[in-house]
C-alpha cells in the first residue's frame, strides 16, 4: 500500500478565474446548515467549552462540544437553542448515554448535531448506538467516529451515520501508535483518501493538521470538514489559564485519552502538552479563511469544490 501524508503532498495550481482572492467562497454545508469555513475545533476539554461554543455558533462556525461534563449536556443543548444557536454535542456508548437520548426524546429537545466520540469507532457497540439515535432522534445529524479504514466507513454509513470522522491517533497529543502499534499517524492524508473513495456521505478529517494549507489538502482528498486540535488550542477564548515558562506564554493542551483527562492511568493513549499562547481566536480564523481563499484561487475555481479536482505530487525524497 502506497501512503503519504500532509508534509509530502503539494497541490498543483490551475489558471485562476478570480479577480481577487477575496471573491472566493470558503463556505461549506454540513447537514441543514452552512458554515463560514470547513474547520471545526476538536471536541477536547482544552479546546472548547460552552463560552467558545456560543462564540463560534453566533459567528457561523461549526463546533462539537466535548463529552467530559456528561451531566451538563442536556442543559447545554437547551441553553444553546434558547439563544437561537446550533446545539452540537458529543456522546459515548455507555448506558448513561442511552438515558440521555431518551431524555432528549421525552422533552422534545433535539440537538441539531450529535457526534459519537469513540477512539475506535469501528465497533458493534458504536453501531448499536447509531441505530438507537436514528430511531429516537431521526432529525439529528449524526457524526460517527473515529474511523481509519474504508470498511469502517461502509459499515458506519450502513448503520445510519450521516457523516464519519477519520483519524486514529494522528493528533499532536496522541500516542496511539506508540502504545498500540495501530493508527493513521504518518499517513493520515492517505487514510482519508482511501476512506473517501467508498464514502457516500461527508467525511470529517480529524488530526494531523499542522498548517493552514493542510486544510486545503484535506478537502482535496475527500474531507467536507476538518477537525483541528493543537492549532485551535492556546487562544484567549479557549479554556485554561495562560502559563508563563522561561519567559514565554503557553496554555495546557492534553489528549482525550490522556491520564489527565481520564483521571486514571488505564489505557492511556494521549499526553499532556503546552501549546504556545496565540492571542485572539478571531485572528487565527481570519487567517485560515484568507489562506483557504488563496487556495481556491490557486485551484482555478470560485469555491471549495474546486480543490477536489486539482492534481498533486507526492515528494519521494522529503
Amino acid at each position: 500500500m502506497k501512503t503519504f501524508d500532509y508534509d509530502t503532498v503539494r497541490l498543483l495550481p490551475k489558471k485562476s478565474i478570480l479577480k481577487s482572492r477575496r471573491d472566493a467562497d470558503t463556505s461549506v454545508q454540513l447537514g441543514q446548515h452552512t458554515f463560514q469555513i470547513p474547520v471545526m475545533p476538536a471536541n477536547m476539554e482544552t479546546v472548547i467549552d460552552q463560552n467558545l461554543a456560543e462564540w463560534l455558533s453566533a459567528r457561523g462556525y461549526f463546533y462539537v462540544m466535548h463529552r467530559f461534563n456528561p451531566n451538563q449536556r442536556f442543559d447545554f443543548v437547551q441553553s444553546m437553542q434558547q439563544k437561537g444557536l446550533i446545539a452540537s454535542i458529543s456522546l459515548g456508548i455507555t448506558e448513561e448515554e442511552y438515558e440521555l437520548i431518551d431524555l432528549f426524546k421525552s422533552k422534545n429537545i433535539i440537538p441539531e448535531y450529535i457526534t459519537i466520540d469513540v477512539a475506535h469507532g469501528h465497533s458493534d457497540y458504536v453501531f448499536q448506538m447509531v441505530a438507537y439515535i436514528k430511531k429516537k432522534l431521526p432529525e439529528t445529524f449524526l457524526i460517527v467516529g473515529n474511523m481509519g479504514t474504508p470498511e469502517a466507513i461502509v459499515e458506519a454509513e450502513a448503520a445510519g451515520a450521516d457523516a464519519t470522522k477519520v483519524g486514529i491517533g494522528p493528533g499532536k497529543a496522541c500516542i496511539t501508535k506508540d502504545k498500540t502499534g495501530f493508527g493513521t499517524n504518518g499517513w493520515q492524508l492517505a487514510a482519508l483518501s482511501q476512506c473517501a473513495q467508498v464514502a457516500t456521505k461527508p467525511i470529517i478529517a480529524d488530526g494531523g493538521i499542522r498548517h493552514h494549507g493542510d486544510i486545503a489538502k484535506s478537502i482535496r482528498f475527500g474531507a467536507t470538514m476538518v477537525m483541528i486540535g493543537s492549532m485551535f488550542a492556546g487562544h484567549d477564548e479557549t479554556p485554561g489559564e495562560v502559563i508563563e515558562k522561561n519567559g514565554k506564554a503557553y496554555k495546557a493542551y492534553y489528549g482525550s485519552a490522556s491520564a489527565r483527562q481520564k483521571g486514571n492511568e488505564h489505557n492511556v493513549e494521549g499526553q499532556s502538552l503546552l501549546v504556545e499562547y496565540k492571542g485572539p481566536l478571531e485572528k487565527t480564523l481570519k487567517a485560515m479563511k484568507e489562506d483557504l481563499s488563496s487556495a481556491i484561487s490557486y485551484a482555478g475555481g470560485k469555491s471549495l469544490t474546486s480543490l477536489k479536482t486539482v492534481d498533486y505530487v507526492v515528494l519521494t525524497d522529503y
Side-chain angles (χ1 to χ4, degrees):
M1 183 192 306
K2 291 185 178 180
T3 62
F4 51 86
D5 212 348
Y6 292 102
D7 284 345
T8 59
V9 167
R10 300 292 183 274
L11 305 179
L12 301 183
K14 293 183 177 180
K15 182 172 70 173
S16 177
I17 60 173
L18 296 177
K19 185 174 183 180
S20 169
R21 298 180 186 195
R22 290 190 295 273
D23 296 334
D25 180 6
T26 63
S27 67
V28 62
Q29 183 172 344
L30 185 69
Q32 298 299 312
H33 301 274
T34 299
F35 303 97
Q36 281 205 48
I37 55 176
V39 173
M40 56 193 286
N43 49 338
M44 301 164 70
E45 200 169 33
T46 50
V47 177
I48 190 162
D49 58 12
Q50 181 162 349
N51 288 334
L52 181 54
E54 292 179 5
W55 190 95
L56 290 167
S57 187
R59 289 163 176 78
Y61 297 102
F62 187 51
Y63 75 94
V64 177
M65 186 62 181
H66 65 72
R67 58 181 171 85
F68 299 112
N69 295 320
N71 296 327
Q72 298 176 18
R73 287 173 296 181
F74 180 84
D75 291 340
F76 170 80
V77 171
Q78 195 170 40
S79 171
M80 293 293 285
Q81 293 181 342
Q82 286 173 348
K83 296 173 182 176
L85 302 173
I86 291 170
S88 175
I89 61 169
S90 305
L91 294 179
I93 53 174
T94 63
E95 287 304 315
E96 291 77 13
E97 307 294 63
Y98 284 89
E99 294 172 6
L100 178 60
I101 297 301
D102 291 341
L103 180 60
F104 283 131
K105 177 68 174 178
S106 67
K107 300 294 186 180
N108 197 31
I109 303 285
I110 313 298
E112 284 83 359
Y113 296 86
I114 290 178
T115 296
I116 298 179
D117 180 32
V118 178
H120 185 19
H122 192 185
S123 158
D124 286 337
Y125 294 99
V126 168
F127 298 150
Q128 288 170 17
M129 176 60 85
V130 171
Y132 195 79
I133 293 172
K134 296 310 291 185
K135 178 182 178 182
K136 295 285 186 175
L137 308 174
E139 307 96 327
T140 295
F141 187 91
L142 182 59
I143 301 166
V144 181
N146 274 22
M147 314 290 183
T149 64
E151 293 82 3
I153 303 300
V154 170
E155 287 196 49
E157 289 190 353
D162 296 307
T164 53
K165 193 145 66 76
V166 171
I168 306 292
K172 196 169 186 178
C174 295
I175 53 174
T176 301
K177 70 176 179 63
D178 301 321
K179 299 283 280 186
T180 72
F182 286 83
T184 60
N185 181 292
W187 65 290
Q188 166 71 1
L189 193 58
L192 171 64
S193 177
Q194 290 184 9
C195 290
Q197 289 175 27
V198 302
T200 63
K201 297 176 180 178
I203 285 180
I204 297 169
D206 180 11
I209 304 296
R210 302 291 182 264
H211 309 282
H212 294 177
D214 296 340
I215 302 167
K217 294 175 187 179
S218 298
I219 302 298
R220 166 59 182 85
F221 286 95
T224 295
M225 297 282 290
V226 182
M227 178 174 271
I228 296 176
S230 61
M231 285 172 56
F232 252 95
H235 289 90
D236 290 332
E237 295 82 0
T238 52
E241 300 297 322
V242 176
I243 300 167
E244 295 286 340
K245 187 175 181 180
N246 299 325
K248 291 186 176 181
Y250 301 90
K251 274 193 168 185
Y253 175 66
Y254 47 84
S256 296
S258 65
R260 181 168 177 179
Q261 181 66 78
K262 285 171 167 279
N264 61 60
E265 297 288 342
H266 300 298
N267 301 110
V268 171
E269 294 179 26
Q271 59 184 335
S272 298
L273 306 170
L274 291 176
V275 296
E276 184 179 349
Y277 168 67
K278 304 180 181 77
L281 178 59
E282 191 166 14
K283 182 178 178 182
T284 295
L285 291 171
K286 181 174 182 288
M288 285 181 177
K289 185 171 185 177
E290 289 177 352
D291 290 343
L292 272 171
S293 297
S294 294
I296 290 168
S297 175
Y298 279 114
K302 297 179 179 180
S303 66
L304 291 171
T305 56
S306 62
L307 292 167
K308 295 181 178 296
T309 56
V310 297
D311 290 332
Y312 65 94
V313 296
V314 179
L315 308 183
T316 56
D317 297 320
Y318 190 78

